[in-house]
Amino acid sequence: MTNTLNPTATTTQHRRGPFPNDPGRWKAEHARALLSGHDRDGTCSDDCEPVLVYERARWGWLAWTMPGDGTFPDRPHHVGILTPDATRMQCLALRWLTRRPLQRIALAPHIPGSLRAWAAVTALAGLAAGLLAMSYGVAWDVVLPAVLLAPSLAEHLPGQLDARARRHVRTVDGEAAVRYLQRLTTMQTDLDQATAASDRYEVRRSAEIGQQLLWDAAGLLQNQDTRAAFAGLIARERLMVQLADQVASILTRTSHPAATGQDREPGRQPGPYPPELRPSTQQSPHRTPSTSPRKGSLFMTQPALGVRTVDVYLLFAHEAYYPHSGSQEINTTVIAADTLLHPQVQQPDGARIHDILTRGREPGTVVPLATLTHELAGGANWPEVGDFVRVTTDLVTLVQMQLCDALSLGLPELARALICIGPGVHQEVRTFDASAGDFTAYGQDARAAVLAEVSRLLAVITPERPFWPGDGLLPPLGGSV
């Protein structure tokens, strides 16, 4: 019973079209394409190259396809990510690769091939310069090689420069990969804009880490598809969300310095990541000592010590996939708690998570994975429980193979981000409006509304047929209730 739904949450889906800060740019590019005649429409053949408009940023570029009617494309054609810590020459390489394509001139109707317009101009200029040099007494055997070599260089040198510049850029194409990377680039753009507006070291460092995450994600997507690279991609997306939340918190404290010491939760230590969103052990280099578990701390908090409740559901976000060709994106899944006991889920990790998930809950409760992270000392105790990234990857595989029942959701971007934060009072998701230069905060009320909508969908589905957790389940820790 895998249900594919896209509920209308209380928050609207955030889509970033081309040139959000310069709406007139797209109209100008379309007008230029019409004037040059280089416009792709229904009359083009399959060999016709798409017209690409490059939107450059500090992290790289988005290459948008120019439709024949001038409408906004729904996704980029490809994405280019610049290497971290790029030098000035490497930044110039990015501008070189996103230059406007030069027109080519056909040699003759019966002669295949074409010549760059710049090469033709160079040939004419070289010929004129050669004749002028010979009139001043320069030997013809010196002038002739230079005249012949100039157009050849103009024709082939740009290709050599392209190959050299591409060493510093990772280019990703393909619908699923581009859509995923576009989400990360939207957050990185917000980080770069915040860096331009603030001289704080923490803000600048967050943008640097975000650029490294983009570079790593592009490397994964170049070598494998989104499904194969799911574990690494979802970990980097979590880190990117954490960086965006951290920078938003810093900017808010900077603009309201009086609230700096009052809005912090009692006992919370400052650090680079909110505790509810702290990464797992694979990202330990990004964690600070202040977030590490203290000696003698409890293995789990009180909810895991209560009576076990079987009728509980786990809600978790994951890398988007498409069940069928032309179907909508699936980026969030709800499964019955007992599916964690499936033999094809990594064990005993799944059984340990199941034990925490089912202790002290109300029947019918939908528990986000971020809530478990919050309960496990903000994620510090995950290594003692299990690898939740591997477990959720196995769960998604079970759902795709239809070996268990699940509620598959295509949540809007903001709603998906809200379920990835914990239930802490001060945990929220902030979106940056570049035109207004301000943030909009969505807190626990918005998160509760998203969870209520998911619970409502479950309440409609489960009375007709309870979720099937799969066959051959392992016994829970401590035996059955």
Side-chain angles (χ1 to χ4, degrees):
M1 185 175 60
T2 300
N3 295 276
T4 302
L5 300 173
N6 193 341
T8 303
T10 56
T11 56
T12 58
Q13 190 170 9
H14 176 66
R15 293 288 185 182
R16 183 178 183 272
F19 307 106
N21 299 327
D22 187 8
R25 173 74 181 277
W26 186 256
K27 295 181 180 179
E29 293 289 348
H30 182 242
R32 185 178 290 107
L34 291 177
L35 288 175
S36 65
H38 194 190
D39 189 21
R40 186 186 181 104
D41 54 23
T43 62
C44 288
S45 64
D46 293 338
D47 297 332
C48 181
E49 290 292 333
V51 181
L52 297 181
V53 178
Y54 290 94
E55 180 183 355
R56 288 191 293 263
R58 294 178 62 180
W59 47 262
W61 74 76
L62 297 172
W64 301 93
T65 305
M66 176 67 71
D69 56 2
T71 57
F72 288 112
D74 59 347
R75 65 176 177 84
H77 183 266
H78 69 260
V79 181
I81 305 299
L82 183 63
T83 180
D85 302 324
T87 63
R88 183 174 181 82
M89 289 301 297
Q90 291 169 346
C91 292
L92 291 176
L94 181 146
R95 299 190 67 86
W96 170 262
L97 290 173
T98 56
R99 69 192 185 279
R100 297 185 186 280
L102 295 176
Q103 297 294 325
R104 301 188 69 89
I105 301 174
L107 299 178
H110 59 281
I111 300 178
S114 60
L115 186 69
R116 295 179 188 268
W118 176 245
V121 172
T122 302
L124 293 176
L127 179 61
L131 293 175
L132 182 63
M134 292 177 64
S135 67
Y136 280 94
V138 180
W140 68 270
D141 56 345
V142 175
V143 173
L144 184 60
V147 171
L148 296 178
L149 184 61
S152 178
L153 286 176
E155 175 67 21
H156 298 289
L157 186 59
Q160 298 296 324
L161 294 176
D162 285 350
R164 188 177 185 87
R166 288 193 181 95
R167 298 175 186 175
H168 312 298
V169 177
R170 287 177 175 173
T171 305
V172 175
D173 51 17
E175 182 177 355
V178 166
R179 286 189 185 277
Y180 174 81
L181 208 56
Q182 185 185 6
R183 291 202 301 268
L184 296 188
T185 59
T186 300
M187 289 185 279
Q188 182 62 29
T189 298
D190 293 342
L191 293 177
D192 290 337
Q193 291 174 345
T195 302
S198 174
D199 57 355
R200 295 283 299 270
Y201 168 78
E202 297 92 333
V203 177
R204 185 175 70 256
R205 182 56 181 162
S206 296
E208 292 173 355
I209 296 174
Q211 181 69 35
Q212 183 66 54
L213 292 175
L214 274 181
W215 179 258
D216 293 343
L220 290 174
L221 292 171
Q222 277 188 329
N223 300 324
Q224 52 193 331
D225 58 22
T226 53
R227 184 179 301 179
F230 161 73
L233 293 175
I234 199 65
R236 285 165 176 80
E237 184 174 0
R238 286 194 182 100
L239 286 175
M240 188 69 81
V241 172
Q242 294 163 9
L243 291 172
D245 187 83
Q246 168 189 306
V247 170
S249 300
I250 292 173
L251 296 182
T252 301
R253 292 198 303 268
T254 303
S255 59
H256 301 88
T260 302
Q262 299 175 1
D263 294 338
R264 188 179 298 156
E265 271 187 41
R268 174 178 290 187
Q269 298 293 329
Y273 305 114
E276 286 75 15
L277 292 175
R278 190 174 302 133
S280 61
T281 53
Q282 286 81 354
Q283 287 77 38
S284 57
H286 298 287
R287 291 172 56 184
T288 61
S290 61
T291 60
S292 61
R294 292 178 294 180
K295 185 177 181 179
S297 61
L298 290 177
F299 173 71
M300 59 190 68
T301 54
Q302 188 62 30
L305 302 179
V307 178
R308 178 177 290 149
T309 304
V310 178
D311 186 18
V312 179
Y313 301 90
L314 176 64
L315 169 68
F316 59 95
H318 51 78
E319 172 54 26
Y321 68 91
Y322 298 85
H324 309 287
S325 177
S327 63
Q328 69 180 48
E329 173 186 286
I330 300 301
N331 55 32
T332 309
T333 296
V334 183
I335 53 98
D338 284 353
T339 306
L340 289 162
L341 303 174
H342 199 283
Q344 294 191 28
V345 174
Q346 177 163 296
Q347 302 296 344
D349 305 47
R352 291 171 181 164
I353 298 175
H354 174 272
D355 190 60
I356 300 171
L357 178 66
T358 56
R359 294 286 186 179
R361 315 288 181 185
E362 293 292 330
T365 302
V366 178
V367 182
L369 185 65
T371 298
L372 299 184
T373 300
H374 174 75
E375 295 173 357
L376 291 171
N381 289 336
W382 266 123
E384 302 176 45
V385 177
D387 186 351
F388 69 89
V389 175
R390 175 63 184 275
V391 169
T392 53
T393 302
D394 292 343
L395 290 173
V396 171
T397 301
L398 287 178
V399 173
Q400 293 175 335
M401 296 175 65
Q402 298 184 1
L403 296 179
C404 67
D405 285 346
L407 174 62
S408 300
L409 303 170
L411 291 183
E413 183 178 349
L414 188 52
R416 186 171 182 264
L418 284 168
I419 68 168
C420 290
I421 65 173
V425 176
H426 297 283
Q427 288 302 298
E428 59 187 14
V429 174
R430 293 182 178 90
T431 59
F432 183 73
D433 186 350
S435 59
D438 197 5
F439 290 91
T440 301
Y442 300 88
Q444 294 301 314
D445 290 342
R447 180 180 186 267
V450 176
L451 294 179
E453 178 67 15
V454 175
S455 299
R456 185 189 67 80
L457 292 171
L458 282 174
V460 173
I461 296 171
T462 51
E464 300 177 359
R465 175 185 169 187
F467 268 28
W468 168 53
D471 295 326
L473 302 181
L474 304 174
L477 296 182
S480 59
V481 180

